[in-house]
Amino acid sequence: MLFKQQALLRQKLFVLGSLAIGSLLYLVARVGSLDRLQPLCPVDGRFGPRGQEEIPLRALQFKRGLLHEFRKGNATKEQIRLHNLVQQLPKAIIIGVRKGGTRALLEMLNLHPAVVKASQEIHFFDNDENYAKGIEWYRKKMPFSYPHQITIEKSPAYFITEEVPERIYKMNSSIKLLIIVREPTTRAISDYTQVLEGKERKNKTYYKFEKLAIDPNTCEVNTKYKAVRTSIYTKHLERWLKYFPVEQFHIVDGDRLITEPLPELQLVEKFLNLPPRISQYNLYFNATRGFYCLRFNIVFNKCLAGSKGRIHPEVDTSVITKLRKFFHPFNQKFYQITGRTFNWP
């Protein structure tokens, strides 16, 4: 009798367990279908012409699933058509500067549901071989997106390459251009640090920063050293201003993006005419890494690669002083042109 009761109890538990699992699977499927069916998110009319002011929200399932298949080239034309996806030319480009925080800026802007980023640096406009492949080759390098989303790419070499402003102008004379800058001496040392790390990985020796930044013959700043030349922001910007009005540029404070990212991102949202969507919820400080990481939602978080935030080598203080004195007049002119002032020494 006891055995029969135990068997009956096990049978009831099995049935109840099956029902519970079935209900759970139904809920998961239902939520997934609701995510897929959630079609539109109303957006401020500034984003586009009247009647086009709605953009689809990227569901996590879509972003990490189907979109991944598109990137791998596994999606069918029918899937692309059904989801109304296209590969668009960028409406905004992060053109520089190297070691200013271009990757961090791109990843943080990708938090916005109206922004889709190109994962890799395309190097279309600064590379003659790539540029010769034509604009259609460039477009095919862009991610799939909804028609009313903004595609953004970043290639920091664009800022300092002479041919690039004219080439981008020929593609789109009204494109929005983002420049992220850091204190020039700090940026130059960061530039050096990245190259140094690459040399060390290959067991190669490399000059000290002081020897590269200062001309040993004149004891003055070596303007032939690329890390120094890149930090003369105004010289490069003047070349861009031959093709684009200053209103088409937005300067991002790369130093502030590290310590207080949200205000900087809100300024970029405004510049791109995007509705405010990025909030403090999307950014959390990682004490172990020493900088902010990204929170897309309750399940999906992301930190930048470990190569970000390298420790800089110690540099002779007299060299730092000399560099800051050298950059000072260029910085003042940069402030005047852009209308944005930084607390650089």
Side-chain angles (χ1 to χ4, degrees), residues 113-255:
V115 171
V116 179
K117 69 178 176 70
S119 297
Q120 303 297 321
E121 292 180 9
I122 311 299
H123 289 286
F124 177 64
F125 297 102
D126 66 307
N127 183 299
D128 291 342
E129 186 177 336
N130 287 342
Y131 189 67
K133 295 175 183 176
I135 203 72
E136 188 62 18
W137 176 88
Y138 180 56
R139 188 176 67 81
K140 290 292 185 182
K141 292 291 182 182
M142 295 300 130
F144 283 94
S145 62
Y146 291 105
H148 304 307
Q149 288 178 309
I150 289 181
T151 296
I152 297 181
E153 76 125 322
K154 74 103 173 173
S155 293
Y158 288 168
F159 186 59
I160 64 170
T161 306
E162 290 188 12
E163 299 83 4
V164 171
E166 182 179 6
R167 289 174 175 179
I168 292 182
Y169 180 84
K170 287 179 179 178
M171 178 190 74
N172 181 358
S173 61
S174 61
I175 197 165
K176 292 181 179 289
L177 302 166
L178 293 162
I179 304 172
I180 179 166
V181 295
R182 296 187 68 193
E183 191 276 312
T185 302
T186 302
R187 194 223 63 84
I189 296 172
S190 182
D191 198 326
Y192 166 83
T193 304
Q194 177 170 293
V195 176
L196 175 65
E197 185 180 276
K199 297 286 185 183
E200 289 176 342
R201 279 200 306 267
K202 298 175 183 177
N203 294 318
K204 293 183 177 180
T205 58
Y206 196 49
Y207 295 110
K208 291 187 69 174
F209 176 78
E210 291 88 339
K211 189 168 184 179
L212 294 168
I214 304 299
D215 187 324
N217 297 318
T218 63
C219 293
E220 297 299 328
V221 173
N222 179 15
T223 54
K224 293 181 180 179
Y225 179 36
K226 187 176 179 180
V228 168
R229 209 165 56 244
T230 299
S231 284
I232 308 174
Y233 304 139
T234 185
K235 290 291 186 183
H236 305 293
L237 182 58
E238 284 173 344
R239 185 170 56 251
W240 284 85
L241 290 171
K242 294 176 183 177
Y243 295 90
F244 300 97
V246 71
E247 292 78 19
Q248 281 177 234
F249 297 88
H250 177 72
I251 310 301
V252 179
D253 186 340
D255 295 309

Side-chain angles (χ1 to χ4, degrees), residues 259-270:
T259 59
E260 296 179 88
L262 185 57
E264 285 300 313
L265 294 172
Q266 289 172 335
L267 289 173
V268 177
E269 284 179 323
K270 186 176 181 181

Side-chain angles (χ1 to χ4, degrees), residues 112 265-278:
H112 198 291
L265 294 172
Q266 289 172 335
L267 289 173
V268 177
E269 284 179 323
K270 186 176 181 181
F271 171 71
L272 296 177
N273 292 328
L274 293 171
R277 289 290 184 273
I278 302 173

